[in-house]
Amino acid sequence: MTETAPLVTILDDEPAIRTMLAQTLEEAGFRTLTFARATEFEAALRTHSPDICLVDLSLPDRDGLTLVHRLALEQGARVIIISGRAEVQDRVTGLELGADDYIIKPFDPAEVVARIRARLRRDAPGPNTGNTARFGPWTAHFDRYVLEDDTGQETPFSHAEGEVLRLFLDRPKRLISRQAMQEALGGAAGESFDRAMDVRISRLRTKLREDPKNPRLIKTIYGAGYIFLGDVTWRDR
């Protein structure tokens, strides 16, 4: 195991699940850190920068959904929820709050490994490998997960929102269908994915100060998908 191997943090109050996941992930070549309580996990984040955070929602000392939202929005962390809550609304809420994926207990640990690898592959450098994109009065800083306007005012966005924004900025003035979004961003197609995408796009429009009745940058093509109308310049390629 090398120090450059991806680091996965596991936050779950069930010892058997922590042990099972840590063993499986380490055998697959990942480094792991395990935590039973949110306070221990948050303290560790001061000195560690995990590549993926596995977070259970039922924690003894913190509301899991609140933690997921803070991780995704304030720290731009990649978060995969692992939970026994199997209702569609629970999954939708988790994704809306910024989680990148949602795995329902009980699960096969090999599936968790596959989901993590898929998540990291989607973050691998693509055609535009820069960290900064300029469009209209906006600059998107993907290294810091913030939008900056011409006055220097900054607005943070979550990792999940950043995925959608980067997808648009990589393909300006081209129609992106729902199916293309699902294939690019992963996740199972269906109502929960569609609702999660609608929420992320709505939040991006708000942060870009778009008129919801007549957005200038992210246009909805009803029955077909979305199109980003701005001119995009990438930096730091």
Side-chain angles (χ1 to χ4, degrees):
M1 182 96 46
T2 67
E3 288 297 319
T4 59
L7 174 63
V8 180
T9 55
I10 303 163
L11 175 58
D12 196 299
D13 65 343
E14 297 183 53
I17 289 181
R18 294 198 305 272
T19 300
M20 173 186 65
L21 284 172
Q23 180 178 344
T24 303
L25 286 165
E26 288 171 8
E27 289 174 352
F30 294 93
R31 293 178 294 139
T32 66
L33 290 172
T34 64
F35 307 92
R37 302 177 70 85
T39 50
E40 301 168 351
F41 168 70
E42 290 176 308
L45 289 183
R46 300 187 189 109
T47 55
H48 295 84
S49 298
D51 295 280
I52 296 283
C53 300
L54 299 179
V55 178
D56 184 21
L57 295 183
S58 300
L59 301 170
D61 61 336
R62 191 67 55 85
D63 173 64
L65 286 173
T66 300
L67 177 61
V68 165
H69 183 58
R70 193 179 68 76
L71 285 170
L73 183 60
E74 295 181 13
Q75 297 185 236
R78 304 176 186 92
V79 181
I80 296 178
I81 292 173
I82 49 175
S83 176
R85 303 180 193 177
E87 296 297 322
V88 171
Q89 187 55 51
D90 290 319
R91 301 199 300 272
V92 170
T93 300
L95 294 170
E96 287 177 348
L97 290 176
D100 295 280
D101 205 346
Y102 194 113
I103 301 175
I104 299 171
K105 295 178 179 178
F107 50 75
D108 186 328
E111 178 188 0
V112 179
V113 172
R115 297 275 193 104
I116 290 173
R117 284 176 171 161
R119 169 74 273 153
L120 295 176
R121 280 198 302 272
R122 288 197 295 274
D123 284 344
N128 294 312
T129 57
N131 284 324
T132 305
R134 176 77 180 178
F135 54 98
W138 296 100
T139 301
H141 300 276
F142 288 95
D143 53 344
R144 297 188 290 120
Y145 292 93
V146 295
L147 282 165
E148 180 183 2
D149 66 15
D150 278 342
T151 70
Q153 181 178 345
E154 295 187 347
T155 303
F157 56 86
S158 72
H159 183 270
E161 291 164 352
E163 280 191 312
V164 179
L165 179 60
R166 186 155 198 150
L167 181 63
F168 285 136
L169 299 182
D170 275 340
R171 308 178 187 184
K173 301 180 180 178
R174 292 167 53 189
L175 177 68
I176 303 176
S177 67
R178 291 271 188 169
Q179 181 179 352
M181 295 182 74
Q182 189 271 328
E183 291 173 353
L185 301 178
E191 180 184 358
S192 61
F193 177 84
D194 289 344
R195 288 182 64 184
M197 289 302 102
D198 289 342
V199 168
R200 293 175 191 179
I201 290 169
S202 176
R203 288 181 174 173
L204 283 173
R205 283 172 169 159
T206 298
K207 292 175 181 182
L208 292 168
R209 303 170 196 159
E210 294 264 73
D211 178 355
K213 295 182 179 179
N214 186 31
R216 296 171 295 104
L217 288 172
I218 305 174
K219 288 283 189 180
T220 300
I221 310 299
Y222 291 99
Y226 298 93
I227 187 168
F228 185 86
L229 295 178
D231 293 315
V232 182
T233 302
W234 284 93
R235 303 174 184 170
D236 305 321
R237 294 200 195 180

